[in-house]
Amino acid sequence: MSEYNAIGKLPPEVLKSGVLCYGGAHRPEVVVGPGLGEDAALIRWGDEPYLVVASDPVVGASHGAGRLLVHINANDVACKGGEPAWFMAALIVPARSGVEYVRRVMEEIHDVCSELGIAVVGGHTELTDRYDHPVLVGTMLGHSRYGLRADKIQEGDALLATKHAGLEGMAIIAHDRPDLLPFLSGAELNEVRSWQNDLSVLKEARLLRDLACYMHDPTEGGVKGGVFEICGSCGLDAEINDGDVPVSPLTARAAEKIGFDPLRLISSGVLLAALPEGNVNEAMTRLDTAGVEAKVIGHFTGRGGKKNKMSFHEELWSILDLPSPISR
């Protein structure tokens, strides 16, 4: 099987040994999961009022792509106050990468889904000669009793951020382009790489979902891009103090040496939560008790007043295109 690289859908024996054996967590409501000849999953629906569905791809990362695929989709469900429960993955992989790449990605998907209590219920897998890089797309479904929406944000509501800006982008750089970080010691580089284990927002989302009116996982565009998206959705402006946004000293050093804005670096793992001012103290107490770093970074202001000066721009792609310092 390790040498299989024929173009097209994987044959049954390869699917059984390299894909279907990675089913994530067992969930009793899954009546029909992934299997040969099964065109769709069959799931018993519960009593929760909302079905939450999210779909996102992974681009720009090679190391740990399977784990990242699960996390970014689980985070989107969590931001709606939901519990991610069922996952589907579409993996279109260059034939030269072979089924071993598929197995590695599926094993990562299985491991993180098992950690989070998520069942893998289906998807699609094939090898192709049409692409130079893998195309990985995930779809996550979950259930929620919380109807969090951007139009619930009111003037004066606080905006809270957890963890630290750019942690996902820095982890990608440390894994895929460590040559760009020669100013970090070996221990510091390993610390940044370990941030790939901090990309889930489920913990803090569960703590805040009854206090927040809206939550958002800022991926591409970073924290500033996330705030820009929130303002565009709710129709309010936001006053954000850049100095209040948490940034790791290691990220700050990299930003100075390489030349990028850490607040515009892809930031899965950071949770942006809009909540009434009266709920801030309780939110901060819960997060502090749970050991989650968080800070209020700004407030929402009125419509039609001072225009939000934020915009959407992602720093990671230009960073990954930089030549190695050795060749400069």
Side-chain angles (χ1 to χ4, degrees), residues 50-253:
Y50 300 107
L51 172 67
V52 187
V53 183
S55 184
D56 259 331
V58 162
V59 293
S62 57
H63 182 89
R67 292 186 63 86
L68 181 58
L69 188 67
V70 176
H71 280 312
I72 62 174
N73 284 283
N75 286 352
D76 286 346
V77 169
C79 284
K80 283 290 178 279
E83 287 293 330
W86 312 290
F87 186 66
M88 303 182 75
L91 313 179
I92 303 177
V93 177
R96 69 171 182 272
S97 298
V99 76
E100 278 307 307
Y101 176 87
V102 173
R103 176 192 284 276
R104 185 168 71 251
V105 170
M106 283 305 305
E107 188 170 8
E108 291 173 358
I109 288 173
H110 169 78
D111 288 345
V112 70
C113 281
S114 297
E115 292 168 12
L116 300 178
I118 298 165
V120 179
V121 298
H124 176 81
T125 313
E126 69 175 83
L127 301 181
T128 181
D129 61 356
R130 298 292 185 93
Y131 302 105
D132 294 327
H133 302 284
V135 178
L136 312 180
V137 182
T139 298
M140 185 72 72
L141 298 93
H143 48 81
S144 176
R145 68 186 65 177
Y146 303 94
L148 304 185
R149 304 196 311 268
D151 61 9
K152 290 187 175 183
I153 302 174
Q154 300 293 319
E155 182 178 353
D157 284 352
L159 182 62
L160 179 151
T162 68
K163 301 191 180 84
H164 51 95
L167 75 167
E168 178 191 4
M170 283 292 292
I172 290 173
I173 296 167
H175 278 291
D176 295 354
R177 290 295 308 275
D179 58 293
L180 296 176
L181 305 172
F183 43 83
L184 297 184
S185 68
E188 290 172 332
L189 190 64
N190 286 334
E191 179 181 344
V192 175
R193 286 172 173 161
S194 75
W195 294 349
Q196 195 170 61
N197 299 321
D198 298 328
L199 301 185
S200 173
V201 301
L202 264 66
K203 182 178 183 179
E204 53 259 52
R206 287 167 174 158
L207 293 170
L208 298 179
R209 60 192 178 188
D210 65 326
L211 299 175
C213 46
Y214 181 79
M215 297 188 292
H216 185 48
D217 173 35
T219 53
E220 282 195 59
V223 170
K224 284 185 176 179
V227 175
F228 177 76
E229 290 171 332
I230 296 172
C231 290
S233 295
C234 72
L236 295 172
D237 297 328
E239 291 185 353
I240 305 298
N241 184 347
D242 289 1
D244 287 335
V245 180
V247 177
S248 164
L250 299 180
T251 302
R253 195 190 317 166

Side-chain angles (χ1 to χ4, degrees), residues 230-290:
I230 296 172
C231 290
S233 295
C234 72
L236 295 172
D237 297 328
E239 291 185 353
I240 305 298
N241 184 347
D242 289 1
D244 287 335
V245 180
V247 177
S248 164
L250 299 180
T251 302
R253 195 190 317 166
E256 180 182 0
K257 296 286 188 180
I258 298 175
F260 66 88
D261 183 352
L263 305 192
R264 295 186 185 276
L265 186 62
I266 190 167
S267 294
S268 286
V270 172
L271 180 68
L272 296 177
L275 61 166
E277 187 66 33
N279 290 350
V280 170
N281 286 342
E282 174 63 19
M284 295 299 291
T285 297
R286 291 183 188 180
L287 293 169
D288 182 64
T289 301

